[in-house]
Amino acid sequence: MNSNNKPQQPTATALVGDIGGTNARFALWRGEHLEAIEILACADYPRPEDAVREYLQRVGQPLSAIDNVCLACAGPVGDADFRFTNNHWVISRDAFRAELGLSHLLLVNDFSTMAWAASRLGGDDLVQVRDGAALDGRARLIIGPGTGLGVASLLPLPGAGWHVLPCEGGHVDLPVSGERDFAIWQQLREKYGHVSAERVLSGSGLENLYQASCKVDGVAPLALSAAQIGERALAGDTYCDAVLEHFFLWLARVAGNAVMTVGALGGVYITGGIVPRFLERFQRSGFADAFCARGKTSGPYLSQVPVWVMTAQHPGLFGAGVALEQALLAGD
């Protein structure tokens, strides 16, 4: 979280955005809720300021009514101006605030907003997929296979509030737990060199897992996308179903390793575009058992850690609102 502005209290209406390489999602944050969600194509606008003006015009909101903005940006966010890696936009903090007349501009990493969302989402937006008892005062882990593999931690602050710790946990080494894992890992290593968790636990990773599994088994692979692999699995294709199951088991091991690394006994929140899409199949998978099927020390450590899947429709936007709210209250 980064801002260069004076401390102030939240105003009645703020603007939040979730900006990726292709699309920019915007919404109004009012009364701790999202309103007027719109999706704009980044390629249609020379600058992010132009997209913000277009959004406000679409929803009938005057620019003068917006004093505070939080934008979730795809990529590492520091104190400097932000350059998007997958589109032509640049956010110059001072120029952006000056042109739009803002008091407060907050830029956060896009996956960090998933962690902010996890600090506030209620039962209607969460499905528990592993029983346990979350410990108060302990970190929470947020992990999300999607375009890539996002990982973040949510740390409780003394008294109240949360601190989000972003990281590059998707690029840790892929854990190998058996002969089949090793055979698939060898195929991936031959192709990519370093085999990160993201090489399997992402959209392209599911495709990698399918192709490598076919090579190991001597099966002629089809040219299937991640979505098609999942759809075929749900339709009764036993081979694709086995690949999807292996995906879920590998997610369990990576998530369990991350919990032990950061001491996330406050629970695990799974987000991203893959698991929520196949939620019923995920609930029938071996994830819950594989999560703590480990040695005599690590198994008991993980045994009571609960796991939820985030099913909120726009968790990135919601998390941006929560991040902005806490930043204004804290004077960050």
Side-chain angles (χ1 to χ4, degrees), residues 265-330:
L265 300 182
V268 176
Y269 296 78
I270 298 174
T271 183
I274 297 177
V275 175
R277 183 173 185 175
F278 303 112
L279 180 57
E280 291 185 7
R281 176 63 183 85
F282 183 68
Q283 290 174 295
R284 301 195 308 271
S285 75
F287 174 92
D289 291 333
F291 181 80
C292 63
R294 299 165 185 265
K296 64 180 181 179
T297 298
S298 53
Y301 185 87
L302 293 168
S303 63
Q304 292 302 308
V305 177
V307 180
W308 295 270
V309 173
M310 294 169 56
T311 58
Q313 191 171 5
H314 298 285
L317 287 173
F318 183 82
V322 175
L324 178 61
E325 183 181 295
Q326 179 164 314
L328 293 174
L329 288 172

Side-chain angles (χ1 to χ4, degrees), residues 243-259:
V243 171
L244 190 60
E245 175 70 10
H246 201 170
F247 180 96
F248 294 148
L249 296 180
W250 240 320
L251 177 59
R253 297 180 195 124
V254 171
N257 287 352
V259 167

Side-chain angles (χ1 to χ4, degrees), residues 46-124:
R47 306 175 306 150
E49 292 91 337
D50 301 321
V52 168
R53 290 180 182 276
E54 169 67 16
Y55 165 75
L56 292 174
Q57 183 176 3
R58 287 190 184 188
V59 300
Q61 188 77 14
L63 180 59
S64 59
I66 302 298
D67 201 35
N68 302 307
V69 171
C70 178
L71 300 178
C73 305
V77 176
D79 293 326
D81 296 340
F82 186 85
R83 295 180 179 274
F84 288 84
T85 56
N86 294 318
N87 68 41
H88 61 284
W89 282 3
V90 177
I91 297 179
S92 174
R93 295 171 183 272
D94 291 340
F96 192 98
R97 284 198 306 271
E99 179 172 333
L100 300 181
L102 305 176
S103 296
H104 196 102
L105 171 64
L106 180 67
L107 303 183
V108 293
N109 169 264
D110 60 339
F111 195 78
S112 293
T113 61
M114 300 298 181
W116 287 113
S119 75
R120 189 75 63 84
L121 289 175
D124 291 343

Side-chain angles (χ1 to χ4, degrees), residues 135-321:
L135 296 186
D136 292 337
R138 298 302 297 265
R140 302 177 184 178
L141 178 78
I142 294 82
I143 185 166
T147 303
L149 177 62
V151 182
S153 299
L154 190 63
L155 310 178
L157 296 174
W162 296 88
H163 175 72
V164 172
L165 184 64
C167 68
E168 291 299 326
H171 297 287
V172 300
D173 293 342
L174 182 70
V176 174
S177 300
E179 291 184 4
R180 185 165 183 81
D181 281 4
F182 183 63
I184 291 172
W185 178 89
Q186 286 181 304
Q187 294 293 331
L188 296 173
R189 183 176 180 273
E190 182 178 332
K191 183 175 182 179
Y192 294 110
H194 177 247
V195 184
S196 68
E198 189 174 86
R199 288 294 185 196
V200 166
L201 298 177
S202 60
S204 60
L206 181 56
E207 297 166 14
N208 289 336
L209 180 56
Y210 168 77
Q211 295 288 334
S213 298
C214 287
K215 285 188 177 181
V216 167
D217 296 329
V219 173
L222 302 175
L224 299 178
S225 67
Q228 290 171 326
I229 293 167
E231 289 164 1
R232 289 173 73 99
L234 297 185
D237 183 317
T238 56
Y239 197 82
C240 286
D241 186 70
V243 171
L244 190 60
E245 175 70 10
H246 201 170
F247 180 96
F248 294 148
L249 296 180
W250 240 320
L251 177 59
R253 297 180 195 124
V254 171
N257 287 352
V259 167
M260 289 188 288
T261 300
V262 301
L265 300 182
V268 176
Y269 296 78
I270 298 174
T271 183
I274 297 177
V275 175
R277 183 173 185 175
F278 303 112
L279 180 57
E280 291 185 7
R281 176 63 183 85
F282 183 68
Q283 290 174 295
R284 301 195 308 271
S285 75
F287 174 92
D289 291 333
F291 181 80
C292 63
R294 299 165 185 265
K296 64 180 181 179
T297 298
S298 53
Y301 185 87
L302 293 168
S303 63
Q304 292 302 308
V305 177
V307 180
W308 295 270
V309 173
M310 294 169 56
T311 58
Q313 191 171 5
H314 298 285
L317 287 173
F318 183 82

Side-chain angles (χ1 to χ4, degrees), residues 6 23 317:
K6 296 187 219 176
N23 294 317
L317 287 173

